Each structure stands twice: as C-alpha cells, then as structure tokens.
C-alpha cells in the first residue's frame, strides 16, 4: 500500500498544480490578479529499522505572488498620477479660455483704451464717444462671459466632488465587505489564504487610490485598514466611513467635505488641504489654485478698473455740463458675508480709495479665544491676528463681529466679474472735459483734459503696491501676469502628469514582472505537471500490478 499511497500523493500534487496553472492562464488578463502556485513538501517519513522511507508529497498551500512594498508603491503612484491627470484635464479649458489671443480679455481691454484715446483726440465727436460706449459694452460683456464660463466649470467641479465622494464611500464599503469574506474564508489563518479575494481587495484599493490618496495596513487577521487625509480611518475591519459633500454655511461659493465613520455620530468637516491624491485631490486643488484664483483675478481687475475709472470720470463733465457720474456700474459700495453661525461682516472699499493696496485674494476670518485671524485661502498664510478686526485691510474696510468659534469666508472680488456693466448709455454723458463745457468760463466741447487723464490710466502703474507703497503694475500687466501664472501652473501640471505616468508604468511593470502571469512560463508548467501526473499514474499502475502478483502468490 505504501507505493500506491506515494503515487496517489504525487498524483494529487500534480493535479492541483495543473489546476493552479490553468487558473493562472485563465486570469492572465484579469486586472489585479496575482500569479498563484502550489507549495508542497514531503510527508513525514516512516522509520523501518535501517532508516526512514519517504511517504510521498504533502500539499502545504496555495500561495499568491504578493509584495506589500510593491503594492504600497503602486497605490501611491496611482494616486499621484490620477491627481495630475485629472488636474491637467480640468485646467486645460480654463487656460485656453483666458489665454485666447483673439477672444481673451487682453484684446478687449486694449480696444477699450484705444477708444478712450480716440475720444481724447476728438472730444467733440459724438461718433468717437459712441464708439467708446460700444467698446465698453464689449469689455463688460467679456468680463461677464468669462465669469459665466468659470461658473459653469465650478458647477461641474462641485457635482464631480459629490460624485467622487459617493464612489469613495461605495469602494470603502466594498473593501469592508471583502474583509468580512476574507475573515470567514481564512479558516486556517495564514496557511490557507483566500487568494482570489485578496486580489479583489487589492484591486479595489487601487481603484480607491485613483479617487483619493490612501494608506493601507494589513493586520494579523488579514484585515485591511484604509486611511485618508491626516489619518482618518476610511476602513477598519468590517466597518467603513461615509464621505459626502454639503453646503458650507461660512462660504457660499464652496461645498465642503464631511466624514463619518460607521453609522452613528455627527459628520465631521474634513479640511480640504488634508485630502490629496486621486481625482478628489485634483478637484480640490484645481478649485483652489485654478478656479478660485482666476475668478479672484477676474473680479479684481473688474473692480479696480471700475473703481479707478469711475473715480477719475466723476471729476469731469459731459457735453451736457453734468459731472460726478459713474462710467461703470455693478461694483457695490459694500458687500455682506455671513459666517457659519449667522453673524455678518460688511466689506467695503477704503476711503480714500486705495486700489494699489488691494490684492486679488479671498480670506477666511476666524474668531476664537478672543482673537481674530485672517488667513489667505490660496496658500493658507496668516495675514492678521488680533483682538479686533482691522478697520482697514488691504484697501478694504471691515466691520461687524463674529461669535466665538465662528468662521466666515470673505471673497471681495469674484462677484464683480459677473456684474460689471455700463452706467452710461448717452454718448454726451462721457466726461471728457475738465470744466463744464456749457458754462461761459468753460473751454467748450474741445476740452479733453479729463479724458486724457482717463487714457493715462492704461499706462499708469496703479496696482500691487510694494512694501514702500508704490504701485508696480498697470491693469493690463496685472492681467497678463495672472494669465501667465495660470499658464505656468498648467504647464507644471502637464509635466507632473507625464512624469507620474512614467512612474506608475514603471511600478506597474515591476509589480507585473513579480506577480503577473507569464503565459510562456505557465505553458511550460502545464507540460511539466502533465508529465508528473503521468509519472504518478504509472507509479500507481506498477503498485497495482505488484499487489496483484502478491495476491496471486497467496492463491
């Protein structure tokens, strides 16, 4: 019986190796599949007096080719590339919009000031004045068009944020469910791991990394824990967290992300700067660095241009002898922003007007422990900290009060990009004259001195005061700088997308060379295991013949 038993163990070993090789071949193109192999050892030998005689093969288990270090690198590279790729896709339309040499804002601004100069050259010409009003309408319409397009992109980003949060929640729940299945299937612990379920879980983790940057840890029971942000638990054992979006009561422009682990407790707000990697990281970074920054710049230019032009225009007289008229409309004297506890802050323009001190920034103002803190949103830098709100801040006036622990996001400029319009419709109302042209002491309709001052606004440095308070930029150079900054960001993101793609390809190739299925190798294994199966069968056949001969002798 010993020889027959030995043959049987060899037969079973060869059979399961054939099954495993066939399983590898069948799943060669299954994404995330790891090559498997049967581990075998020898049966404990039998002592027969003069020594130990072997008793055949012992199947130890089925092992998958898995390396935790390679898997971690793959998740990290996947999250990085997904963020860069999605960021590139998001920023390209915005970059094309603002940098268009024909339909961009720069040519409209140039045509506007050309029309101003034409009135300065021919102040008595109604046709020149009408041309100025027409070019002004074109300019304000261009501002509104850009703002509307940015709003469309913003709505898409907010919707995608909600969708990605739902996908993250669903994948986290699926990983938790697989943890449960793996725990139930691992009846013999590490000796008999459910390899296909482990591969499915790793593949889900990779898909999750494409949505958000994650860290994974495998405990001694084989359960996967998943962490996001600064260590928030997304999956632990058979429980998972819910990621969602909700309206931000302190910021009317943004939806914020909330996190809740398990099915109880109130959702917690997750600071968006903690969430990086994947599509979610790209959406948040693009919203902050691309959309918000560009809409701030657009509204800033609309606001400062309107305020400065109106201030000078009010000093002049139209052909009808009327002065103190605004040229542009749509820039309110004050704006009110509501905090997350219902308090209101009022923001206005400093008196006297100081456009040089203004910056194209939005801020978060917090009041906690008796201290007001003003933080710039685009980079998180603290710009002010004190027991009271500053009366004047970067060319703005601030008034009102917050409750303890309250926050409010103040965006002084973005709205004006979409509301800028013309206050004049009558070409005679254009204030080209410095004195009343209808009075006896006036200089008549040929007076162009105020229009010359308005024309000078094109080349006068009025924005971005340095530390000494001296303006460093004109309206057009300020906008050109903003467009160039966005272009630099777009190129940087494109470079990162290319580099991260090369990295993820390299890591994936390394993982596949270690854990992937090599069809040539498996084909050779099939032949080898087939021969082993035939040899074991031959062993059993010989053992049967020997047994029959023994029985024949006994008869």
């Amino acid at each position: 019986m010993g020889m027959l038993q030995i043959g049987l163990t060899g037969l079973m070993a060869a059979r399961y190796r054939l099954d495993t090789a066939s399983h590898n071949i069948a799943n060669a193109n299954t994404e995330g599949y790891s090559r498997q192999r049967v581990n075998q050892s020898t049966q404990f030998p039998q002592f027969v007096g003069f020594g130990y005689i072997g008793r055949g093969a012992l199947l130890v288990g089925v092992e998958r080719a898995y390396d935790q270090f390679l898997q971690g690198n793959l998740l990290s590279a996947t999250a990085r590339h997904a963020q860069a790729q999605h960021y590139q896709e998001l920023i390209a339309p915005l970059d094309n919009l603002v940098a268009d040499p024909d339909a961009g804002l720069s040519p409209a601004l140039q045509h506007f000031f050309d029309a101003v100069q034409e009135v300065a050259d021919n102040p008595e010409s109604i046709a020149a004045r009408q041309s100025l009003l027409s070019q002004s309408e074109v300019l304000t319409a261009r501002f509104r068009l850009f703002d509307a397009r940015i709003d469309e992109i913003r709505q898409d980003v907010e919707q995608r944020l909600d969708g990605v949060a739902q996908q993250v929640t669903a994948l986290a729940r699926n990983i938790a469910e697989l943890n449960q299945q793996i725990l139930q299937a691992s009846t013999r612990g590490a000796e008999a791991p459910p390899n296909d379920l482990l591969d499915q879980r790793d593949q889900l983790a990779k898909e999750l990394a494409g949505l958000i940057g994650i860290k994974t840890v495998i405990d001694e029971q084989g359960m996967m824990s998943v962490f996001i942000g600064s260590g928030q638990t997304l999956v632990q054992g058979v429980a998972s967290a819910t990621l969602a979006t909700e309206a931000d009561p302190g910021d009317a422009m943004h939806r914020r992300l909330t996190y809740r682990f398990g099915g109880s407790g109130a959702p917690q707000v997750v600071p968006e700067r903690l969430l990086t990697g994947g599509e979610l990281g790209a959406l948040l970074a693009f919203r902050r660095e691309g959309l918000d920054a560009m809409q701030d710049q657009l509204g800033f230019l609309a606001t400062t241009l309107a305020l400065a032009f109106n201030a000078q225009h009010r000093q002049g007289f139209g052909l009808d002898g009327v002065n103190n008229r605004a040229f542009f409309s749509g820039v309110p004297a004050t704006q009110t922003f509501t905090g997350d506890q219902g308090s209101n802050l009022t923001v206005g323009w400093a008196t006297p007007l100081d456009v040089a001190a203004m910056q194209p920034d939005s801020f978060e103002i917090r009041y906690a422990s008796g201290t007001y803190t003003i933080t710039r949103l685009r980079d998180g830098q603290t710009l002010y900290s004190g027991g009271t709100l500053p009366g004047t801040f970067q060319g703005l006036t601030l008034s009102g009060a917050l409750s303890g622990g309250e926050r409010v996001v103040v965006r002084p400029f973005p709205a004006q990009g979409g509301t800028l319009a013309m206050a004049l419709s009558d070409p005679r109302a254009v204030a080209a004259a410095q004195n009343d042209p209808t009075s006896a002491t006036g200089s008549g309709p040929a007076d162009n001195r105020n229009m010359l001052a308005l024309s000078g606004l094109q080349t006068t440095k009025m924005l971005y005061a340095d530390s000494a308070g001296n303006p460093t930029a004109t309206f057009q150079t300020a906008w050109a700088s903003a467009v160039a900054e966005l272009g630099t960001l777009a190129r940087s993101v494109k470079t990162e997308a290319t580099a991260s793609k090369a990295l993820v390809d390299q890591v994936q190739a390394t993982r596949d060379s270690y854990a992937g299925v090599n069809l040539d190798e498996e084909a050779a294994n099939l032949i080898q295991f087939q021969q082993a199966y035939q040899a074991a069968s031959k062993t059993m056949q010989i053992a049967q013949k020997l047994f029959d001969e023994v029985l024949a002798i006994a008869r």
Side-chain angles (χ1 to χ4, degrees):
M1 291 297 293
M3 187 176 179
L4 188 62
Q5 181 65 33
I6 291 173
L8 178 60
T9 62
L11 190 72
M12 297 305 295
R15 174 202 163 181
Y16 287 123
R17 282 176 174 266
L18 280 169
D19 288 346
T20 302
S22 300
H23 185 58
N24 287 338
I25 292 171
N27 287 281
N29 295 316
T30 299
E31 192 171 0
Y33 177 79
S34 300
R35 186 182 70 255
Q36 298 178 14
R37 69 174 184 179
V38 175
N39 291 330
Q40 72 179 60
S41 181
T42 58
Q43 296 273 8
F44 191 81
Q46 179 182 5
F47 183 70
V48 293
F50 59 85
Y52 287 93
I53 297 297
R55 294 195 300 168
L58 174 67
L59 296 178
V60 177
V62 182
E63 177 188 26
R64 67 176 181 142
Y66 174 77
D67 186 287
Q68 187 173 354
F69 177 74
L70 286 178
Q71 181 67 15
N73 283 349
L74 183 58
L75 294 180
S76 177
T78 299
R80 176 183 170 184
H81 173 59
Q83 173 165 341
Q85 182 181 30
H86 286 291
Y87 201 154
Q88 181 185 7
E89 294 170 357
L90 288 164
I91 201 171
L94 182 63
D95 184 39
N96 293 336
L97 174 69
V98 300
D100 192 309
D102 298 319
L105 195 58
S106 292
L109 198 60
Q110 181 61 52
H111 294 330
F112 166 73
F113 276 111
D114 287 345
V116 172
Q117 184 60 51
E118 185 179 354
V119 175
D121 293 339
N122 303 283
E124 70 281 5
S125 171
I126 298 298
R129 290 165 175 264
Q130 185 59 58
S131 177
L132 172 59
L133 295 183
S134 298
Q135 289 299 331
S136 301
E137 288 286 358
V138 170
L139 177 62
T140 56
R142 192 68 54 84
F143 272 105
R144 295 192 299 272
L145 174 65
F146 275 31
D147 183 77
R149 179 63 183 127
I150 292 175
D151 277 342
E152 290 175 2
I153 298 174
R154 184 180 299 281
Q155 291 174 12
D156 179 63
V157 168
E158 298 294 336
Q159 291 176 358
R160 287 180 60 177
L161 274 174
D162 187 64
V164 171
Q166 293 179 25
Q167 292 178 60
V168 169
T169 299
L171 284 174
R173 183 170 57 250
N174 291 340
I175 291 175
E177 291 172 354
L178 275 174
N179 274 343
Q180 178 69 45
Q181 296 176 36
I182 289 168
L183 183 63
Q184 293 173 349
S186 301
T187 55
R188 296 184 58 192
E191 296 180 1
N195 294 316
D196 292 327
L197 291 179
L198 295 174
D199 281 343
Q200 291 176 30
R201 189 177 65 182
D202 285 344
Q203 181 61 25
L204 287 180
K206 182 182 176 184
E207 292 177 17
L208 187 59
L211 297 175
I212 187 173
I214 61 173
K215 297 290 184 183
T216 61
V217 176
I218 309 296
D219 64 19
E220 63 277 2
Q221 292 183 304
M223 309 277 271
M224 175 184 285
S225 295
V226 183
F227 304 94
I228 60 173
S230 58
Q232 288 85 359
T233 303
L234 190 63
V235 179
Q236 187 171 42
V238 298
S240 63
T242 299
L243 202 65
T245 65
E246 66 176 20
D248 187 344
D251 184 0
M253 191 176 288
H254 283 181
R255 292 183 66 80
R256 64 185 183 183
L257 285 159
T258 62
Y259 160 90
R260 181 175 64 186
F261 187 78
S264 61
Q268 301 176 357
V269 177
V270 185
E272 68 173 55
R273 290 183 180 274
L274 298 180
L275 300 176
T276 59
E279 184 177 357
L280 186 68
L283 289 167
L284 293 174
F286 171 67
R287 185 175 71 173
R288 180 177 62 251
E289 300 168 0
L291 275 184
D292 287 354
M294 187 48 60
Q295 202 158 27
D296 276 340
Q297 291 279 4
L298 183 70
F300 171 79
L301 181 62
T303 301
T304 53
L305 175 64
L307 290 175
F309 203 88
N310 281 350
Q312 184 61 50
H313 190 267
R314 289 181 184 278
Q315 298 180 32
F317 292 80
L319 289 175
D320 55 4
V322 179
N323 73 336
N324 197 31
R325 282 190 292 214
F327 189 85
F328 292 107
S329 64
V331 179
T334 61
Q335 301 175 73
T336 300
F337 299 91
T338 303
D340 55 12
Q341 296 181 30
S343 302
N344 291 328
L345 290 185
T346 300
V347 177
W349 319 116
T351 305
L353 183 66
D354 189 3
V355 295
M358 296 178 185
Q359 296 290 329
D361 293 323
S362 295
F363 316 96
E364 180 185 78
I365 302 179
R366 286 183 179 270
Y367 182 63
S369 302
T371 301
Y372 283 94
T373 303
I374 301 179
T375 303
R376 187 164 55 200
L377 289 179
R378 61 182 168 88
D379 57 8
Q381 182 179 349
T382 299
L383 302 179
Y384 172 83
S385 180
T388 60
L389 276 177
T392 302
F393 177 77
Q394 291 192 357
L396 308 172
T397 59
L398 304 177
S399 60
L402 299 179
S403 301
E406 190 171 14
R407 62 177 280 273
V408 60
V409 172
V410 174
R411 302 184 185 276
F413 302 109
Q416 284 75 263
T419 59
L420 186 67
M422 286 298 299
L424 298 182
S425 59
D426 183 358
R428 292 174 55 82
V430 174
Q434 188 177 51
N435 296 321
D436 182 358
T438 64
S439 67
T441 59
S443 53
D447 186 352
N448 68 347
R449 286 173 294 175
N450 195 54
M451 191 55 64
L452 286 173
L454 288 169
S455 178
L457 296 180
Q458 180 182 15
T459 55
T460 302
K461 293 180 179 180
M462 303 190 67
L463 305 177
Y464 300 156
D466 58 20
S467 57
N470 299 315
T472 61
T474 66
F475 296 113
Q476 286 173 297
T477 58
W479 178 250
S481 176
V483 172
E485 186 175 344
L486 182 67
T488 300
L489 178 61
R491 288 190 295 273
S492 174
V493 170
K494 183 177 181 180
T495 301
E496 170 63 16
T498 302
S500 62
K501 178 64 166 61
L503 176 62
V504 79
D505 287 346
Q506 178 183 358
V507 175
Q508 184 69 55
T510 303
R511 183 266 176 199
D512 289 345
S513 68
Y514 177 78
V517 176
N518 185 315
L519 291 176
D520 291 336
E521 180 183 344
E522 297 302 328
N525 286 340
L526 284 177
I527 296 174
Q528 177 186 349
F529 300 151
Q530 179 190 18
Q531 293 174 344
Y533 188 92
Q534 292 170 341
S537 300
K538 190 67 174 179
T539 300
M540 295 181 67
Q541 182 182 1
I542 293 173
Q544 182 64 46
K545 288 183 178 180
L546 291 175
F547 184 66
D548 290 343
E549 290 179 4
V550 170
L551 290 179
I553 292 173
R555 288 195 297 267

